DNA sequence: TTGTAAGCGTTATCAT
DNA sequence: ATGATAACGCTTACAA
């Protein structure tokens, strides 16, 4: 005893002269009665033995690991970071642990992580990212997910997904619609779109939303440029627009990072934003506040927090859809010309 | 068998008519020889039983959990997000799992998380954040950490810490020094500092670096304002500076977020950056690239990746200090007046 | 090549 | 109030 390694219940029992069972009872919140004197002896022995419970052994027998897994695209992306934080906050409060997996939108990697999480008996697994539009591997994942669900694992999707489980999402189509509608209401008529990754369901929905708003308001769709949700892709798209005058009245990015890339490229080129061109994004992630970017707020932290609460059984029926909200800021203005 | 729950080795053995040991041998990368026919039968049985290994049970007997814990201030902060990503990337490649804990710089919370991680037998624990200058709870944590180290847990600190273990850090004092020195070399003489949280060791080092550069170059220290590493604190500090003319030639923030807050406040007030005032930060986190902020690059991703590699035993002696690098960008310019 | 059995550190049931 | 003891699912000598 007492030579580096942590003590076990057996060590404590030996030291205190009690059985493993008794040691276990005092060292955990057992309601089973234990004599005060015995309790004291066990506590002292535990301290001496440097006792630390084995969460592994405990989980093995109780079948509760107190682990939540979150599969994100990339934690560095503020969108996912905020979701992760939401999950971890409520998990930590219940002394649950949060495992983060970065799948980079690669279905194979995602599936791989899912399996590992399942092997660890994670009590809940959160899919934070959106699925791909046409994913041939999706069926395999779905099979795995459904089997895990049948085994009692809580599955929560924070974006459109082909498999079952609880889904807590924002209406991407409507968010995009509201944003485009706002720009139109500001008088803009030629509005360029910098889209998100084709094939990504969430990105497709946003594109549909933009287009529907145009159609509803009788505005012809402006230039449609490719993008991939990154700052660089927004920057590049703006450069293309700059090379192809005249500039549109406004530019919407499929997400904040893209829109920020657009704003920076435009301003570097001496174009006044919003004086000459209005720019807006979707997400309301932290950097967008720095830039004073007009955007549509998506309550990412809440998304994660709700997912975790659901997994912990703190809320029975989570709301299916969480509300987005238009956040007008300094990168858009009424059309002046 | 086959009714929701995943099968165990016992199920597989029963189905295949072999012992648990044999099932285990084929279902894992055991080098122990198994007849081809037997192997086939076991594989078939595993599929039928929906076998999935229990990482928990495995870890309990092998004493290797394949889990790395990272204690950060806040994953939403790009500084920590990038570190987390670095850890997770190398962990994931080795099919290790990464557990993220947000301690918000609260020693008690940090200690709490450390204990939980220890209870789960995390093979390595990374302290990503800096410790506090005068922390009365530090001794307790140190005791816990040392005990865990003695028990074989790998401990890695990514910032100054009072306890043992491997430390992979950047020289904060030198990074700040280089930045201040650069501003001075641009001709600036009245340089304001927006400091980081007092009591945070890393913030103190940076302040010392700024001051030493001033002293070395015979420049009188400019106004010193409080800050706490947040965008808001940078913004507020700039407002105070604005109210108290004349403006300094340049302003350094203790980190990027602070500096970005300063830039935005200044520009909103119509002050030209860098025309009238130069601004710079430390970190080179993603948002700083958006703003084209002059900063000192800290290889956060590498910090995390190196920490993980060390834990996985992929590098024996990690470099003690990782190099920072001055990154001049568009928020600083030669003093014009 | 295959099987037996002793743990790993807990919890939980059933006696005492 | 306390103690045996059987799981939990797996790995790993040691036997056969």
């Amino acid at each position: 005893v007492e030579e580096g390694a942590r003590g076990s219940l057996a060590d404590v029992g030996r030291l205190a002269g009690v059985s493993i069972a008794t040691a276990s009872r005092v060292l955990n919140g057992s309601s089973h009665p234990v004599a005060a004197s015995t309790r004291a002896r066990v506590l002292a022995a535990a301290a001496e033995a440097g006792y630390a419970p084995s969460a592994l052994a405990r989980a093995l027998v109780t079948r509760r690991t107190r682990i939540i897994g979150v599969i994100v695209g990339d934690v560095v992306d503020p969108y996912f970071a905020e979701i992760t934080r939401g999950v971890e906050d409520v998990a930590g409060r219940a002394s649950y642990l949060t495992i983060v997996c970065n799948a980079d939108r690669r279905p194979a990697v995602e599936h791989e992580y899912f399996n590992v999480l399942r092997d660890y008996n994670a009590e809940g697994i959160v899919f934070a990212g959106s699925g791909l539009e046409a994913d041939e591997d999706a069926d395999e994942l779905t099979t795995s997910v459904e089997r895990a669900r049948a085994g009692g694992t809580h599955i929560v999707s924070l974006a459109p997904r082909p498999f079952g489980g609880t889904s807590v999402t924002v209406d991407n189509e409507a968010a995009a619609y509201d944003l485009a509608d706002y720009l139109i209401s500001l008088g803009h008529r030629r509005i360029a779109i910098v889209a998100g990754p084709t094939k990504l369901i969430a990105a497709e929905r946003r594109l549909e939303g933009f287009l529907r708003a145009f159609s509803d308001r009788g505005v012809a769709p402006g230039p449609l440029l490719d993008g991939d949700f990154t700052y660089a892709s927004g920057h590049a798209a703006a450069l293309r627009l700059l090379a192809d005058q005249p500039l549109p009245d406004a530019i919407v990015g499929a997400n904040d990072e893209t829109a920020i890339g657009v704003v920076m490229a435009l301003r570097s080129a001496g174009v006044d934003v919003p004086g000459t061109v209005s720019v807006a994004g979707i997400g309301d992630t932290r950097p967008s506040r720095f830039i004073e970017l007009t955007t549509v707020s998506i309550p990412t932290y809440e998304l994660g927090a709700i997912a975790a609460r659901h997994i912990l059984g703190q809320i029975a029926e989570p709301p299916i859809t969480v509300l987005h909200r238009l956040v007008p800021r300094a990168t858009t203005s009424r059309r002046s010309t």
Side-chain angles (χ1 to χ4, degrees), chain A:
Chain A
V1 191
E2 188 68 34
E3 20 148 339
R6 350 181 317 211
S8 67
L9 281 182
D11 298 325
V12 176
R14 199 176 309 124
L15 243 46
V18 301
S19 71
I20 277 183
T22 301
S24 170
R25 293 199 261 254
V26 2
L27 261 15
N28 303 306
S30 171
S31 56
H32 202 99
V34 172
S37 61
T38 313
R39 173 177 306 273
R41 243 175 328 124
V42 170
L43 255 15
E48 190 189 346
Y51 173 74
S54 165
L56 258 36
R58 198 202 306 261
L60 191 57
V61 44
T62 61
R63 310 188 135 294
R64 315 198 68 222
T65 51
R66 307 184 81 80
I67 285 179
I68 293 179
V70 193
I71 300 178
V72 301
D74 172 20
V75 249
V76 180
D77 182 334
Y79 180 87
F80 290 118
E82 287 169 13
I83 287 175
T84 303
R85 182 71 214 242
V87 171
E88 210 276 330
D89 268 13
V90 354
R93 225 169 284 140
S95 44
Y96 268 59
L97 254 19
T98 303
I99 289 178
V100 184
C101 306
N102 299 97
D104 282 322
R105 264 180 233 134
R106 305 227 302 278
V109 177
E110 194 171 44
H111 194 167
E112 177 64 28
Y113 272 124
F114 176 82
N115 286 340
V116 180
L117 253 14
R118 183 246 293 134
D119 293 350
Y120 275 84
N121 281 310
E123 289 181 35
I125 298 178
V126 180
F127 285 89
S130 168
L132 303 188
E133 197 72 86
D135 174 13
E136 51 269 9
D137 302 332
D139 288 351
E140 292 180 37
L141 213 208
T142 299
T143 305
S144 299
V145 171
E146 290 303 343
R147 194 192 297 276
R149 286 223 299 143
T153 305
H154 297 284
I155 304 291
V156 184
S157 306
L158 267 23
R161 283 299 192 159
F163 41 74
T166 302
S167 90
V168 182
T169 57
V170 74
D171 187 339
N172 282 296
E173 205 267 351
Y177 183 97
D178 291 354
L179 183 60
D181 188 67
Y182 173 68
L183 289 171
I184 294 169
S185 76
L186 286 179
H188 302 299
R189 287 298 171 267
R190 220 169 82 83
I191 303 174
I193 298 173
V194 184
T198 26
K199 301 290 149 235
L200 195 68
I201 297 180
E204 290 300 308
R205 293 290 160 281
R206 291 182 187 178
L207 181 54
E208 290 165 14
F210 290 141
L211 265 16
R212 185 166 62 88
F214 293 159
S215 144
D216 280 6
R217 301 283 296 252
V219 168
L224 175 59
L225 319 219
D226 287 342
D228 62 0
F229 274 174
T230 65
Y231 173 82
S233 75
H235 196 97
L239 259 27
R240 268 174 279 147
L241 251 11
L242 245 9
D244 193 28
Q245 303 286 345
L247 283 170
D249 301 333
I251 305 173
V252 285
N255 72 345
D256 284 348
E257 293 226 354
T258 303
I260 293 175
V262 170
V263 171
M264 298 312 294
L266 254 25
R267 288 188 173 153
S268 295
V271 175
D272 182 20
V273 176
T276 306
V277 181
S278 285
V279 180
I282 294 180
D284 193 24
T285 49
R286 210 136 94 182
S288 76
R289 268 160 268 177
F290 299 170
I291 303 289
E292 295 267 26
L293 181 77
T294 290
T295 186
V296 179
S297 163
I298 291 183
T300 45
Y301 179 92
E302 275 307 316
L303 245 26
I306 292 173
R309 272 192 227 111
H310 172 70
I311 289 168
L312 296 183
Q314 296 176 356
I315 41 175
E317 200 57 44
I320 296 302
T321 298
V322 134
L323 297 180
H324 61 273
R325 186 172 48 82
L326 181 73
V327 183
R329 283 202 279 242
T331 56
T332 49
S333 66
R334 181 157 292 283
R335 185 182 178 203
S336 44
T337 49

